[in-house]
């Protein structure tokens, strides 16, 4: 058979294909997905699960005129292939290549950008209302997974949509999985529908089989009575109907014909309600390893020639430390919003299943739920990626810090995260956390310091945040006995008179490397491990400002409101004379996708970049000094 995929250059090309060809196309798409994701990394299982759904959507609707809004956007590789990006798929998640999510910049077929979960229904409802208000006529669809639909925003939007009765189609792509199995009461309701759906299909097959036998019809009647009594089939869609939607399904999400029939019904429905279609899919469909382990294949790293590094990641050290602390302290509990794997928390969950709470994709609820626990004497550790903690900003202020409740924020993936790009970089937390009173904000230089900071935080009796990067640790041994780190005290790593580099978190060791390069060039640098962005080590910073004068701060955060800007305002407020200050940070812009190393190099945040910036600072100063003395001599 010839390759059909080569012939598909726009959704219109799909409409010419017959049933057999559509099946072939689906299989070719799956091969392409496995091949590209194996090389580049990415969200394999979610994409394999929506191949037929995406084909059916593009056959029934007219993108970009009709607007298809994918929640999270991690499952849009098939959509990218079928719209105008097939030829560029090999650049997926690479520097200057295709984004791993939806992006308005990338294509007119992406009417709304995403990366964070649970936004699709709000965005779709907004677009649909705008359409009505502007007197236009097109279809608007939100495609949302059973994980993302548990997010508070999705619930708020469904509530609003059901109330307004706007013409809108919400498609639930229900595979029973978030990254891990979906949790919650709604997930339980969906489980029952899925079970009934599979059960009904099996029942139909059984009926056909019995009908083919002599006396089969009579036998079927008897079997049916018993089965109906035993299962008590639920009314599908009751919940969605109750909140104001017209409900269709459940639909087999791998049967293009069945999908198209449901989509056409929804498209041609002109009632007064939004339509909700419940589609049942299998995550990882068609690729055995991904079907068998959808959790691992949710998001896979790019293939690397070398095997997995043996140095534990920061996430693993966090989880191991939490486990050790939980063994000693029965009051310690852990809360994760749907990321037990990403945060490596399964080792804690296995030993203490009742003390690890997966609350679903609900970062706001996670923080206030933890705050409630803290009022009763528990010590909650809330583990959230830096980028997703943005969702909980008000909860951190209003529910935690205002009441000064003792709890720990374990902020994973802080700084540059790499391939996931603009929506996922953890580059704002130092800014948005250090403006909150009562919150201690820290970042370790290595994984050993991480465990000591955790120990300190758990015993602090105040809110404390610890940010750490997405990477393997630096490979230092872990002390067997925990130490308390004095709050707001930094550490001098090296002394020199020409320049001081004050760095925080994972930029401390590259700053030390830069200092070694500087000394080879005759420049002696002091290097400080700041450890805390709040409270700052005012005493030490001011002492350095008085003695050394050339100061560089280094951080993996945006410039505005970050560590460097706090150091600068301290020095300014104390009117220390003659200080030359340079802040190395991410300029105030969104950081694209690419490898962490390439992005650090771009912003002069690696050892080389810090060295170059420091050398320039000292050289310029020396030039200025010699120009000054030459001028004095002339005068
Ligand atoms: C606010 C937010 N929290 C967490 C995540 C991480 N995340 C990405 S996809 C995903 C699971 C989504 O599950 P579902 O919607 O069911 O889609 P599936 O991958 O199963 O198709 C999670 C938790 C995110 N993208 N956004």
């Amino acid at each position: 058979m010839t390759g059909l995929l080569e012939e598909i250059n726009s959704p219109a090309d799909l409409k010419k294909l017959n049933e057999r060809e559509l099946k072939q196309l689906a299989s070719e798409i799956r091969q392409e997905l496995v091949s590209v994701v194996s090389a580049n990394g990415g969200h394999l299982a979610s994409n394999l699960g929506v191949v037929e759904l995406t084909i059916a959507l593009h056959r029934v609707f007219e993108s970009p005129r009709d607007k298809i809004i994918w929640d999270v956007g991690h499952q849009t590789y098939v959509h990218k292939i079928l719209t105008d990006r097939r030829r560029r798929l090999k650049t997926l998640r690479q520097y200057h290549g295709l984004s791993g999510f939806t992006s308005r910049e990338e294509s007119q077929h992406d009417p709304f950008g995403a990366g964070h979960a649970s936004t699709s229904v709000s965005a779709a409802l907004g677009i649909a209302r705008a359409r009505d208000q502007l007197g236009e006529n097109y279809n608007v669809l939100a495609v949302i997974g059973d994980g993302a639909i548990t997010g508070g925003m999705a619930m708020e939007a469904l509530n609003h949509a059901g109330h307004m009765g706007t013409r809108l189609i919400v498609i639930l792509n229900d595979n029973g999985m978030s990254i891990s199995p979906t949790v919650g009461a709604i997930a339980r309701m969906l489980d029952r529908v899925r079970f009934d759906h599979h059960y009904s299909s099996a029942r139909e097959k059984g009926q056909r089989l019995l009908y083919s036998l002599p006396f089969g019809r009579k036998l079927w009647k008897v079997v049916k009575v018993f089965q109906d009594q035993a299962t008590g089939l639920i009314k599908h869609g009751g919940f969605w109907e109750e909140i104001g939607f017209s409900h269709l399904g459940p639909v087999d999400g791998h049967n293009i014909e069945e999908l198209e029939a449901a989509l056409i019904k929804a498209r041609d429905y002109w009632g007064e309600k939004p339509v909700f279609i419940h589609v049942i899919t299998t995550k990882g469909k068609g690729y055995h390893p991904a079907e068998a382990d959808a959790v691992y294949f949710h998001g896979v790293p790019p293939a690397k020639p070398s095997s997995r590094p043996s140095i534990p990641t920061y996430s693993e050290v966090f989880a191991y430390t939490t486990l050790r602390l939980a063994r000693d302290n029965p009051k310690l509990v852990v809360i994760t919003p749907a990321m037990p794997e990403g945060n490596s928390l399964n080792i804690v969950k296995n030993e203490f299943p009742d003390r690890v709470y997966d609350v679903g994709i609900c970062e706001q609820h996670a923080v206030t739920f933890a705050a409630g626990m803290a009022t009763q004497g528990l010590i909650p550790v809330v583990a959230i990626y830096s980028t997703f903690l943005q969702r909980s900003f008000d909860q951190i202020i209003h529910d935690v810090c205002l009441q000064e409740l003792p709890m720990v924020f374990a902020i994973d993936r802080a700084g540059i995260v790499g391939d996931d790009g603009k929506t996922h970089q953890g580059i704002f937390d130092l800014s948005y956390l250090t403006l909150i009173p009562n919150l201690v904000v820290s970042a370790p230089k290595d994984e050993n310091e991480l465990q000591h900071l955790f120990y300190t935080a758990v015993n602090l009796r105040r809110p404390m945040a610890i940010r750490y990067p997405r990477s393997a640790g630096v490979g230092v041994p872990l002390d067997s006995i925990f130490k308390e780190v004095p709050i707001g005290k930094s550490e001098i790593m090296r002394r020199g008179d020409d320049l001081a580099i004050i760095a925080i978190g994972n930029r401390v060791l590259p700053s030390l490397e830069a200092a070694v390069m500087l000394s080879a060039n005759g420049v002696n640098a002091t290097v400080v491990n700041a450890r805390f962005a709040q409270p700052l080590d005012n005493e030490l910073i001011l002492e350095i400002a008085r003695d050394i004068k050339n100061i560089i701060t280094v951080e993996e955060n945006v410039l505005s409101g970050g560590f460097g800007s706090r150091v600068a305002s301290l020095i300014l407020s104390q009117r220390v004379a003659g200080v030359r200050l340079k802040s190395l940070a991410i300029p105030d812009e969104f950081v694209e996708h690419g490898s962490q190393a390439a992005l650090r190099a771009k912003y002069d945040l690696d050892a080389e970049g810090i060295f170059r910036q420091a050398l320039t600072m000292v050289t310029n100063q020396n030039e200025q000094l010699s120009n000054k003395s030459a001028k004095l001599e002339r005068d």
Side-chain angles (χ1 to χ4, degrees), residues 494-501 511-527 548 550-552 580 610-622:
R494 179 191 170 107
R495 288 184 189 273
D497 294 337
D498 300 323
L499 169 93
I501 307 176
S511 300
L512 260 183
E513 273 179 59
V516 174
M517 294 185 230
L518 285 167
S519 88
N521 284 267
V523 176
N524 291 317
T526 289
V527 176
I548 301 183
N550 286 324
I551 299 178
I552 293 188
R580 292 152 47 83
I610 301 167
F611 160 71
R612 243 193 339 269
Q613 291 279 354
L615 196 61
T616 312
M617 188 180 202
V618 176
T619 316
N620 285 351
Q621 189 204 18
N622 289 345

Side-chain angles (χ1 to χ4, degrees), residues 43 45-47 50 71-72 74-75 101 115-118 144-149 173-180 182 281 283 298 337-339 361-363 385 387-388 391 424:
H43 291 97
S46 312
N47 279 283
V50 294
D71 207 278
V72 187
H74 65 307
Q75 74 294 57
F101 300 92
H116 288 196
S118 316
I144 183 164
D146 56 294
I149 208 165
N173 168 30
D174 179 8
N175 53 28
M177 299 291 288
S178 185
I179 293 177
S180 331
T182 309
T281 59
K283 201 158 173 172
H298 175 86
M339 306 299 281
I361 309 180
C362 310
E363 288 78 8
Y385 289 10
T387 185
F388 304 140
R391 287 264 164 107
H424 280 59

Side-chain angles (χ1 to χ4, degrees), residues 384-403:
I384 305 190
Y385 289 10
S386 168
T387 185
F388 304 140
L389 190 66
Q390 289 161 198
R391 287 264 164 107
S392 323
F393 184 54
D394 182 54
Q395 284 71 17
I396 301 172
I397 294 177
H398 176 269
D399 300 326
V400 180
C401 293
L402 195 152
Q403 310 190 84

